[in-house]
RNA sequence: GCCGGGGUGGCGAAACUGGCAGACGCACAGGACUUAAAAUCCUGGGUUCCUCACGGAGCGUGCGGGUUCGAUUCCCGCCCCCGGCACCA
């Protein structure tokens, strides 16, 4: 008897895998590929079981697909740039590069100790020039195409520390996280990616993502926020000027009784300049602009506004309506101005009520005949138009297209589609990121760094104070350069890129990670992409996935890839909670995988995390659950150990023709387990029930062995062995082989050891996933429950394969059933799947 | 407010296409083994009631209705929980 020593097995097999390069792959068009990916990690220092769960999920899939015959790409890397490392540098003085690389080394060790089957030779870290070189390359391709452009935009600014703050560094009531000073807004020239150019395509592409969680698709759809409407020009009274508004409800335009401008609307400045009480008006505008920005930080605000004193003409009614400024009108959506229809819009109604502006009802439902009370609140539904000139009596939404067409014909407006999605601001006034590869020349303006001069390397900065502007601006050798166009003196861009740029294409880099000419070769991407299975946290459901879908399309247009969607199937895994809360260092409820590994080994942790709940669901960590998983693995170990040491048999099962009932039944269980586990892992991602099925098989094997396994009472092991026929040994052998292969994705170290001890050569990487024989799953006899008027009154044992008529006849002939239907009329006999028979009498 | 996902034993959960609700595990209880304990192996359990017992009857998947021979599953109306978005005109 050999004891189960998980820690020794972990070491032995992890070493063997690395030595044999067991998980490294090459492009091989003769084999079907499978690309299995988990979202790469920010190297924070330590992986806790919450992170680790995701890697295990991916590893189950990767290991299963390997045994199913696929050429499996399963890589890992590091999302290594970012604010935390820079903040740590400010605090402790450790250079971000050092802390990041140290963290990577530690976390890599953790993942290796878990036995995750990564192709480590393809590892990438985004903070290395090898990688960010191609962030710059892609940036320049986008710049060439007008997809990267500059515009003024606001950032959070701490006046005391004299530095830009990220949104998450603005805390509480809008103060600096470090010094508590109230944060102000500051306008800077910044770089943007024109993701809006792909808005419609990104929206339509969602329809093809049938293997994504519905939730994520919906979140993306809402984020893009497409709405169809019209842009309509309202001329100003007594002026050549006009104001354009965007509306989705042109059908209510006869009820537009005033116009509202966002405080930032350019017309507000023009009005202020001409306003009779100029100073007073300008002060009010300034107050509103400040208030509006504050509101974005703190949440909802009371609707407020003031009249400009100017009037606009409603182009449909021809009547003059007042123009107001309102704090709830968004400057960066639509035209920054709206027509207010208080009769049919909640917000406008609230505003009109507060400031006593006219409310005019122009819609009612077709069956509504009486007077509509305007003060009772707005009616926002579509209906029949009233009091709407030539459109009176017509019905929305049909009338909308008619009105838009008329507006177009009159030259006062046109149909328009608006998106909530904004262009992606990528400039960061930070050190630890990819330098933006642009040079500013007095003569030539913003010039892209020539591709041949890439990468623009991040210079070494030694002091991190967190004060002052972009850290790169301090490095003169970096800033001062020559213009690539004219050779004159020039300055480099000192901002770095948002780290979301790094993560928007790393999955493509994994296809060809050492390419020094291109981000990746076309051939490599064509073979490996798209990612077949992608798993990660739901917190990336919007931005990361949307940006990746955007980059894929840009690279398609650049000619590097020929598909639209990078991720075929997506799984958003649930978090691991401890004491009802998300694990975090500050809460002190982190479960460190290394402690678990020391106590139980990697396999127990892997199995437990997969068994405890379905992958998408949150789980509460439980030490006793872990103990239970360890017990199960011990049970498997003892079973196979007992086989190897006392029963034994052929390396491959050889069957005769006659089976005892017990043998038939065990084979049925074996094949049924294969069927269930295969579909649970590959198709349904029900990893918890896959483990359950394996447990059932093990229970059945223990029952079959009738106490011959160690520790059990009764029969003497040697005597029992003598009784085993060759046939029984073959049946057991088949079950044990299948069990070891199927358990191997969950508990690879133990499985490898058992596989070897069972006499198989070449390791599990060379093993083939078992196939089930559908014939064996069919029962020879079926137990048929018989319901009479909804209650099960009898259970009949019938031969399998009876047709419905035969079964009906046998059921009605049975004495037990007869007793229940005697003297009554049989109205209906339903033979259902199951099988089950339902007899209705009355 | 809008959108999405949920609500099943003491607990985590299962039930795939409308067909024996609670598989599998945790915790618990009992038995075997042991001088004893641990470990191991075996057994038990939704709940109420009837029966000495074997066994049987009723009620049970958030609540109220509906469709159906049959509903955790489908339909209508509610309640509660979790997550996302939130003045997008």
């Amino acid at each position: 008897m050999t004891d189960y020593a998980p820690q020794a097995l972990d070491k032995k097999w992890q070493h063997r895998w690395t030595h044999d390069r067991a998980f490294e792959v090459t492009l091989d068009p003769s084999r079907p590929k499978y690309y299995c990916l988990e979202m790469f990690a920010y190297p924070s220092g330590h992986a806790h079981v919450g992170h680790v769960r995701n890697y295990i999920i991916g590893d189950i899939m990767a290991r299963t697909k390997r045994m199913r015959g696929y050429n499996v790409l399963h890589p890992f890397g590091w999302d290594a740039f970012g604010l935390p490392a820079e903040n740590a540098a400010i605090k402790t003085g450790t250079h971000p590069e050092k802390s990041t690389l140290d963290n990577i080394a530690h976390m890599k060790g953790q993942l290796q100790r878990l036995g995750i089957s990564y192709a480590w030779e393809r590892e990438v870290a985004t903070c290395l020039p090898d990688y960010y070189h191609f962030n710059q390359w892609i940036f320049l391709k986008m710049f060439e195409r007008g997809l990267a452009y500059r515009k003024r935009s606001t950032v959070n600014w701490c006046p005391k520390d004299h530095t830009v703050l990220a949104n998450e560094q603005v805390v509480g009531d809008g103060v600096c996280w470090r010094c508590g000073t109230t944060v102000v807004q500051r306008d800077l020239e910044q770089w943007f990616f024109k993701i809006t150019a792909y808005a419609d395509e990104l929206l339509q592409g969602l329809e093809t993502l049938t293997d994504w969680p519905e939730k994520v698709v919906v979140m993306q759809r809402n984020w893009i926020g497409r709405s169809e409407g019209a842009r309509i020009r309202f001329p100003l009274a007594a002026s050549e000027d006009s104001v354009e508004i965007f509306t989705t409800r042109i059908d209510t335009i006869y009820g537009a009784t005033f116009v509202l401008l966002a405080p930032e609307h350019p017309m507000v400045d023009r009005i202020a300049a001409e306003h009779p009480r100029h100073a007073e008006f300008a002060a009010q505008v300034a107050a509103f602009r400040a208030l509006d920005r504050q509101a974005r930080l703190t949440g909802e605000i009371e609707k407020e506004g003031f009249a400009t004193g100017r009037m606009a003409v409603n182009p449909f009614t021809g009547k003059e309506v007042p123009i107001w400024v309102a704090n709830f009108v968004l400057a960066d959506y639509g035209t920054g101005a709206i027509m207010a229809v208080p009769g049919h819009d909640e917000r406008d109604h609230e505003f009109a009520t507060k400031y006593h502006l006219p409310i005019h009802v122009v819609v009612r439902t077709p069956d509504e005949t009486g007077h509509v009370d305007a003060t009772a609140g707005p009616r926002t539904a579509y209906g029949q138009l009233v009091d709407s000139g030539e459109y009176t009596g017509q019905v929305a939404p049909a009338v909308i297209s008619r009105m838009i067409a008329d507006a177009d014909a009159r030259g006062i407006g046109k149909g328009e589609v608006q998106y909530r999605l904004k262009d992606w601001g990528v400039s960061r006034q930070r050190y630890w990121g990819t330098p933006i590869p642009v040079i500013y020349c007095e003569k030539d303006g913003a010039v892209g760094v020539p591709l041949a001069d890439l990468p623009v390397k991040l210079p070494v900065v030694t002091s991190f104070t967190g004060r002052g502007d972009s850290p790169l601006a301090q490095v003169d050798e970096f800033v001062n350069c020559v213009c690539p166009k004219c050779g004159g003196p020039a300055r480099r861009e000192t901002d770095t890129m948002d780290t979301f740029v790094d993560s928007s294409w790393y999955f493509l880099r994994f296809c060809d990670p050492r390419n020094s000419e291109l981000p990746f070769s076309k051939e490599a991407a064509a073979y490996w992409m798209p990612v077949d299975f992608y798993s990660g946290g739901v917190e990336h459901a919007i931005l990361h996935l949307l940006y990746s879908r955007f980059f894929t399309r840009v690279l398609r247009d650049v000619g590097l890839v020929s598909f639209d969607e990078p991720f075929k199937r997506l799984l958003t895994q649930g978090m691991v909670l401890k004491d009802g809360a998300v694990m975090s260092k500050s809460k002190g409820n982190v479960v460190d995988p290394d402690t678990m590994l020391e106590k139980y080994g990697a396999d127990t942790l892997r199995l437990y995390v997969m068994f405890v709940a379905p992958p998408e669901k949150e789980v509460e960590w439980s030490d006793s659950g872990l103990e239970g998983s360890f017990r199960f693995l011990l049970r498997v170990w003892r079973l196979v150990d007992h086989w190897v040491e006392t029963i034994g048999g052929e390396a491959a099962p050889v069957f005769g023709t006659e089976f005892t009932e017990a043998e038939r039944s065990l084979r049925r269980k074996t094949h049924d387990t294969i069927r269930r586990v295969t579909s649970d892992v590959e198709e349904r991602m029900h990893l918890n029930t896959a483990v359950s099925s394996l447990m059932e098989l093990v229970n059945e094997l223990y029952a079959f062995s009738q106490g011959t396994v160690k520790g059990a009472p009764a029969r003497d092991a040697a005597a029992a062995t003598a009784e085993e026929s060759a046939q029984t040994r073959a049946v057991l052998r088949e079950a044990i082989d299948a069990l070891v292969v199927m358990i191997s994705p969950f508990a690879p170290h133990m499985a490898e050891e058992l596989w070897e001890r069972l006499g198989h050569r070449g390791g599990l990487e060379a093993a083939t996933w078992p196939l089930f024989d559908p014939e064996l799953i069919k029962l020879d006899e079926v137990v048929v429950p018989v319901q009479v008027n909804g209650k099960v009154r009898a259970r009949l044992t019938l031969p399998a394969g009876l047709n419905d008529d035969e079964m009906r006849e046998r059921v009605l002939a049975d004495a037990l059933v007869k007793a229940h239907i005697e003297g009554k009329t049989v109205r209906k006999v339903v033979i259902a799947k199951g099988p089950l028979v339902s007899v209705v009498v009355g």
Side-chain angles (χ1 to χ4, degrees), chain A residues 788 794 809 811-824:
Chain A
V788 179
E809 205 171 294
V811 164
L812 293 177
D814 185 81
L816 269 171
V817 178
K818 264 187 179 161
H820 282 100
I821 62 178
E822 215 162 0
K824 296 169 187 153

Side-chain angles (χ1 to χ4, degrees), chain A residues 186-368:
Chain A
R186 202 183 178 205
D187 275 341
L188 294 179
E189 282 283 322
Q190 306 204 63
W191 287 93
F192 284 82
F193 285 163
K194 206 170 189 172
I195 190 171
T196 52
Y198 290 84
D200 225 17
E201 215 194 309
L202 288 166
L203 186 68
Q204 276 168 24
L206 292 173
E207 305 298 324
T208 67
L209 301 175
T210 49
D211 288 333
W212 280 36
E214 180 64 20
K215 170 167 82 163
V216 174
V217 171
V218 169
M219 279 162 77
Q220 294 227 346
R221 188 176 294 133
N222 293 342
W223 190 260
I224 296 168
R226 183 181 200 273
S227 46
E228 285 181 24
R231 178 187 283 256
I232 302 293
R233 202 171 65 243
F234 279 53
L236 297 204
S239 163
E240 293 300 299
D241 214 352
S242 64
V243 56
E244 287 191 314
I245 59 95
F246 176 76
T247 180
T248 56
R249 291 298 303 274
I250 194 173
D251 57 308
T252 64
I253 198 165
Y254 281 83
T257 50
F258 51 102
V259 165
L260 294 176
L261 305 178
E264 292 82 3
H265 196 282
M267 179 172 280
V268 175
D269 290 319
R270 293 206 292 278
I271 293 171
E274 298 163 8
H275 201 275
R277 293 194 307 279
H278 170 76
E280 193 185 321
F281 189 86
Q284 204 167 13
V285 171
F288 263 61
R289 289 181 182 176
L291 182 81
D292 193 43
R293 283 170 184 149
Q294 195 63 33
R296 275 186 206 132
L297 298 170
T298 52
E300 202 165 318
I301 46 164
E302 170 85 357
K303 288 180 182 47
E304 281 179 39
F306 56 88
T308 62
R310 306 291 296 264
M311 303 294 279
V313 179
N314 182 329
F316 276 76
T317 62
K319 285 183 187 146
E320 290 194 1
V321 295
I323 302 175
W324 284 54
V325 173
N327 61 354
F328 70 93
V329 178
L330 303 174
D332 53 2
Y333 183 79
T335 62
I338 61 166
M339 65 175 202
V341 185
H344 305 287
D345 181 281
E346 306 239 359
R347 296 151 301 181
D348 299 346
H349 189 269
E350 190 185 328
F351 194 83
T353 309
K354 178 166 179 176
Y355 293 106
H356 309 292
L357 290 160
I359 299 170
H360 192 167
V361 171
V362 292
V363 178
R364 67 180 184 212
T365 52
D367 57 327
E368 230 171 7

Side-chain angles (χ1 to χ4, degrees), chain A residues 2 15 28 39 87 123 208 221 269 299 307 376 431 490 499 502 510 518 554 561 574 579 607 650 700 779 783 788:
Chain A
T2 312
H15 183 264
D28 178 359
M39 290 181 188
N87 289 342
E123 179 181 10
T208 67
R221 188 176 294 133
D269 290 319
Y431 171 71
T499 57
D502 313 355
F510 280 137
L518 289 170
V554 170
V561 303
D579 310 321
L607 186 93
E650 308 281 329
E700 188 98 350
L779 304 172
V783 178
V788 179

Side-chain angles (χ1 to χ4, degrees), chain A residues 21 23-29 31 33 71-73 119 121-122 511 527-528:
Chain A
R21 303 178 62 241
F23 312 121
E24 303 301 334
V25 281
T26 52
L27 193 155
D28 178 359
R31 292 177 61 200
K33 66 90 185 182
N71 192 20
V72 175
L73 175 58
E121 290 173 20
R122 290 178 183 253
C511 298
Y527 177 69
W528 291 113

Side-chain angles (χ1 to χ4, degrees), chain A residues 638-681:
Chain A
R638 272 195 302 270
L639 180 78
V640 182
D641 183 63
H642 178 256
W643 162 271
V644 168
E645 303 213 351
T646 63
I647 305 173
E650 308 281 329
V654 179
F655 297 111
T657 46
E658 293 293 310
F659 292 92
T660 64
E661 178 48 42
E663 287 163 356
R664 263 209 310 273
S665 151
L666 181 58
R667 290 203 77 198
R668 212 143 57 203
K669 187 69 184 178
T670 302
H671 284 257
D672 196 44
T673 306
I674 296 169
R675 182 183 63 81
R676 285 161 62 188
V677 173
T678 307
S679 104
D680 275 354
V681 173

Side-chain angles (χ1 to χ4, degrees), chain A residues 503-622:
Chain A
S503 55
S504 295
W505 67 283
Y506 76 102
F507 45 91
L508 287 157
R509 183 67 178 171
F510 280 137
C511 298
D512 190 13
R514 303 293 167 248
N515 195 324
S516 56
E517 301 299 314
L518 289 170
F520 51 88
S521 76
K522 271 172 134 167
E523 296 71 34
Y527 177 69
W528 291 113
M529 288 293 291
V531 174
D532 293 281
F533 179 76
Y534 193 34
S535 76
V538 72
E539 66 272 21
H540 294 114
I542 297 177
L543 293 182
H544 162 59
L545 293 171
L546 190 66
Y547 292 157
S548 297
R549 298 177 61 228
F550 164 54
F551 262 51
T552 302
R553 285 167 169 80
V554 170
L555 292 168
R556 176 200 63 198
D557 293 346
V558 167
L560 276 180
V561 303
S562 51
F563 50 86
D564 298 340
E565 292 294 343
F567 311 122
K568 196 160 182 295
R569 181 174 180 187
L570 178 72
L571 182 126
T572 52
Q573 122 266 8
M575 289 183 295
V576 179
L577 309 180
K578 180 77 203 294
D579 310 321
V582 180
M583 285 184 196
S584 78
K585 242 188 249 172
S586 57
K587 288 195 193 93
N589 63 348
V590 172
V591 177
D592 175 20
D594 288 318
T595 324
M596 303 299 143
L597 294 186
E598 274 165 40
K599 196 164 176 198
Y600 299 104
D603 291 343
T604 296
L605 179 62
R606 294 171 58 113
L607 186 93
Y608 167 67
V609 170
M610 295 301 99
F611 173 61
V612 68
E616 319 78 53
K617 218 170 160 172
E618 281 185 349
V619 298
E620 172 70 29
W621 179 262
S622 140

